[in-house]
Amino acid sequence: MEETRGKLLLSARQSFAKHGFSGTSMDELTAAAGLTRGALYHNFGDKKGLLAAVVDQIDAEMAARARDLGASADTLWEGLLAEGMAYIQMALDPEIQRIVLLDGPAVLGDPSRWPSQNRCLDATRDAVARLTAEGVLRPVDIEAASRLLNGAALNAALWVAASDDPARTLPRAQEAFRLLAEGLLADR
């Protein structure tokens, strides 16, 4: 069963990246995986369920990449900032752009309600709580600050992905994100 799911996810990921959600044929997708529509329905319910699984997979990879960059920073604050900046930069990746940032919200709705986004929020909340306890951040409502930081990175990535010139939009989005985040720093 895991092998079947893996084949369907790989085939869907390739097709969604190349043709988009609406341009992906379920018959072609399942044939490319060497499976039937029945396998798709059994494992994911429908095409929308398959997209949700692909978005979750890619978003988890994005979070891991951002986390790895954050972990290599000298301080927790620099790591949190690096994670947000990396998440925004990933909007330049054509696969991420099309599947996660364009088709995902159009088909699956509000990204802040996706399970993968909530995992990112949990990591942000942990970092904000630690930074606040250490006095690096001003005394702030942990939940509010975490949601706003997470939302700012997500919305910046959505803006980059949807812009007419993503490469030109990226530095503007990252700079604004950095300035917003730095507003939380305690006076030193």
Side-chain angles (χ1 to χ4, degrees):
M1 187 160 161
E2 197 59 35
E3 182 180 340
T4 298
R5 282 182 62 82
K7 286 180 181 180
L8 286 167
L9 285 169
L10 178 61
S11 181
R13 192 168 171 163
Q14 292 168 343
S15 187
F16 291 154
K18 185 175 181 180
H19 305 292
F21 179 80
S22 63
T24 293
S25 158
M26 289 186 7
D27 289 331
E28 291 174 11
L29 181 151
T30 53
L35 299 165
T36 64
R37 270 186 176 218
L40 185 146
Y41 293 131
H42 176 74
N43 284 278
F44 300 101
D46 59 11
K47 185 176 167 185
K48 185 176 175 180
L50 181 57
L51 176 65
V54 170
V55 165
D56 188 67
Q57 182 184 60
I58 295 171
D59 214 17
E61 292 169 8
M62 292 171 68
R65 283 171 40 195
R67 206 171 29 254
D68 288 347
L69 285 169
S72 66
D74 291 335
T75 67
L76 181 59
W77 166 250
E78 290 171 1
L80 180 64
L81 200 55
E83 286 182 37
M85 300 289 252
Y87 191 89
I88 298 166
Q89 184 163 352
M90 286 182 237
L92 296 180
D93 181 300
E95 179 186 54
I96 290 168
Q97 193 175 90
R98 181 159 218 176
I99 297 172
V100 177
L101 300 172
L102 297 175
D103 284 350
V107 176
L108 304 173
D110 181 2
S112 70
R113 298 192 179 275
W114 298 348
S116 55
Q117 284 297 315
N118 288 322
R119 288 191 297 271
C120 290
L121 177 59
D122 290 342
T124 301
R125 190 182 297 112
D126 291 343
V128 169
R130 283 184 49 206
L131 289 164
T132 301
E134 293 171 7
V136 174
L137 299 183
R138 301 171 191 232
V140 65
D141 182 291
I142 304 300
E143 187 68 20
S146 301
R147 285 185 179 276
L148 291 172
L149 281 172
N150 217 49
L154 171 62
N155 280 289
L158 291 167
W159 176 42
V160 170
S163 73
D164 291 334
D165 188 351
R168 194 162 162 251
T169 304
L170 176 67
R172 295 169 56 208
Q174 287 180 315
E175 177 64 8
F177 174 79
R178 183 184 62 75
L179 289 171
L180 284 169
E182 286 176 350
L184 294 171
L185 288 172
D187 294 330
R188 296 203 172 222

